[in-house]
């Protein structure tokens, strides 16, 4: 049985084909080339302002071979003017690669008023439908970790395939951290911030037992002195301490992430702190009596963190490659 026969059996094509046709409107599936995309952009005479962030995101997906044929299309009206798809067209031109695309011709000019006005699917929706994530928080934490990899301080949304790889790399520890903080989120919303939970995910990968102890202190806030790292971070997340002006957007995530890392690093080292500072990343703590090699390599006790680093090396390489590929 050929594929078209199976398709006809599963879907009522005859019923659809018997419906009244709208004259002048046609949609075709093509492999759209950069040359054709550039020609179509000549028809882009009346559209919204181009978003460079969106174009870069699409370029990264094309270079990563993550572009898929979807109902989203390039659309032109009955005058031949572009009404939808300018970001996709710019990405095709910039990537210099052909991609599968639906192209619709002959729409009424008024169609542009309704483009992208419906409820759009989020990244969580896509990952949930693909069986990659079970709740929105998992995707938020993975996105925060991915921004850290691509060194994004401006809130630029990383490409979907990088977030997918991050989620796959860290999912076990992301879910463990969410479970440890469960129950604190409803009454203490500051304790559910993705940037804090992203730092906790890395801590959990390095030392699960210590991370559990630390998160219990942050969640409950009892039997802790004021200079305990978990208490310092808890008060910061809940807005109970005065700090310098909080940045916004992606810079805010980085601001919180680095202070969370600083508190967790102090807890890992067994020391109290007088306040929160910024730390770029965790520094492995050698076991007592462990000697570092004369060559200056990391002590044997860093095998856990090294495993995490090795597991993320390919992901970081992919992230840097995507950054280069999406550069205009």
């Amino acid at each position: 049985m050929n594929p078209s026969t199976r398709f006809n059996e599963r879907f009522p094509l005859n019923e659809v084909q018997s419906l009244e046709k709208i004259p002048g409107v046609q949609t075709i599936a093509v492999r759209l080339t950069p040359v054709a995309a550039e020609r179509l952009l000549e028809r882009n005479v009346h559209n919204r302002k181009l978003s460079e962030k969106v174009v870069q995101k699409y370029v990264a997906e094309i270079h990563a071979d993550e572009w898929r044929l979807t109902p989203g299309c390039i659309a032109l009206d009955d005058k031949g003017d572009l009404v939808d798809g300018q970001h996709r067209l710019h990405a095709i031109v910039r990537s210099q690669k052909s991609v599968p695309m639906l192209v619709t011709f002959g729409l009424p000019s008024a169609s542009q008023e309704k483009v992208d006005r419906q409820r759009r699917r989020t990244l969580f929706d896509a990952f949930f439908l693909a069986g990659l994530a079970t709740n929105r928080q998992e995707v938020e934490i993975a996105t925060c970790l991915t921004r850290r990899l691509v060194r994004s301080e401006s809130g630029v949304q990383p490409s979907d395939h990088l977030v997918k790889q991050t989620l796959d790399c860290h999912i076990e520890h992301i879910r463990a951290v969410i479970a440890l903080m469960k129950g604190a989120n409803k009454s203490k919303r500051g304790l559910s911030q993705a940037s804090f939970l992203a730092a906790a995910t890395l801590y959990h990968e390095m030392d699960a037992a210590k991370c559990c102890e630390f998160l219990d202190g942050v969640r409950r806030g009892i039997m802790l002195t004021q200079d305990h790292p978990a208490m310092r971070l808890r008060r910061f997340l809940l807005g109970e301490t005065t700090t310098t002006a909080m940045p916004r957007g992606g810079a805010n995530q980085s601001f919180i992430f680095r202070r969370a890392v600083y508190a967790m690093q102090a807890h890992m080292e067994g020391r109290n702190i007088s306040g929160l500072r910024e730390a770029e990343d965790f520094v492995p703590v050698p076991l007592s009596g462990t000697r570092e090699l004369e060559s200056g390599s990391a002590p044997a006790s860093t095998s856990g963190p090294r495993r995490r680093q090795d597991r993320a090396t390919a992901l970081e390489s992919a992230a840097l490659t995507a950054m280069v590929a999406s550069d205009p």
Side-chain angles (χ1 to χ4, degrees), residues 63-177:
H63 278 292
D65 292 327
E66 284 287 325
W67 191 266
R68 301 291 182 265
L69 184 63
T70 71
C73 68
I74 306 301
L76 296 97
D77 64 16
D78 48 16
K79 298 176 183 177
D81 294 334
L82 187 73
V83 297
D84 190 25
Q86 62 168 339
H87 292 90
R88 280 162 280 192
L89 291 174
H90 277 284
I92 294 169
V93 172
R94 190 174 299 176
S95 69
Q96 285 299 294
K97 287 190 173 184
S98 301
V99 301
M101 186 75 68
L102 295 181
V103 182
T104 296
F105 302 92
L107 291 173
S109 298
S111 298
Q112 193 171 39
E113 299 173 8
K114 297 299 181 181
V115 173
D116 292 335
R117 295 296 298 160
Q118 292 76 27
R119 181 178 181 269
R120 303 187 68 179
R121 288 188 179 183
T122 65
L123 186 57
F124 165 68
D125 291 332
F127 286 176
F128 175 77
L129 293 172
L132 301 173
T134 58
N135 64 68
R136 201 171 302 276
Q137 222 174 10
E138 293 172 358
V139 179
E140 291 172 350
I141 295 170
T143 302
C144 185
L145 287 170
T146 309
R147 283 201 179 105
R148 170 177 169 269
L149 280 175
V150 299
R151 300 174 177 86
S152 169
E153 301 284 343
S154 59
V156 174
Q157 182 74 12
S159 60
D160 296 354
H161 80 279
L162 287 180
V163 179
K164 185 192 300 184
Q165 290 180 47
T166 302
L167 188 66
D168 180 65
C169 180
H170 299 281
I171 187 62
E172 175 187 348
H173 300 279
I174 289 174
R175 287 175 175 168
V177 165

Side-chain angles (χ1 to χ4, degrees), residues 193 236-237 241 243-249 251-253 255-256 259:
Q193 296 186 59
F236 167 72
L237 294 173
T241 55
T243 64
T244 55
M246 293 280 285
R248 296 182 179 181
N252 177 268
Q253 284 199 350
F255 186 83
I256 295 172
R259 279 158 177 77

Side-chain angles (χ1 to χ4, degrees), residues 247-324:
R248 296 182 179 181
N252 177 268
Q253 284 199 350
S254 178
F255 186 83
I256 295 172
F257 176 86
R258 291 171 178 168
R259 279 158 177 77
V261 169
Y262 179 81
M264 294 170 191
Q265 180 74 47
H267 179 260
M268 190 190 309
E269 296 171 354
R271 58 184 174 86
N272 291 331
I273 54 177
S274 58
L276 292 177
R277 301 176 185 174
E278 292 193 9
E280 290 293 334
D281 203 349
F282 290 93
V283 179
V285 180
L287 295 174
S288 57
T290 301
R291 295 182 180 179
E292 294 190 10
L293 302 177
E294 292 182 2
S295 62
S297 60
S301 61
T302 63
S303 58
R306 187 184 292 120
R307 282 195 299 271
R308 173 175 66 84
Q309 184 176 3
D310 291 343
R311 207 163 56 241
T313 298
L315 176 60
E316 185 161 4
S317 176
L320 294 175
T321 301
M323 290 171 64
V324 173

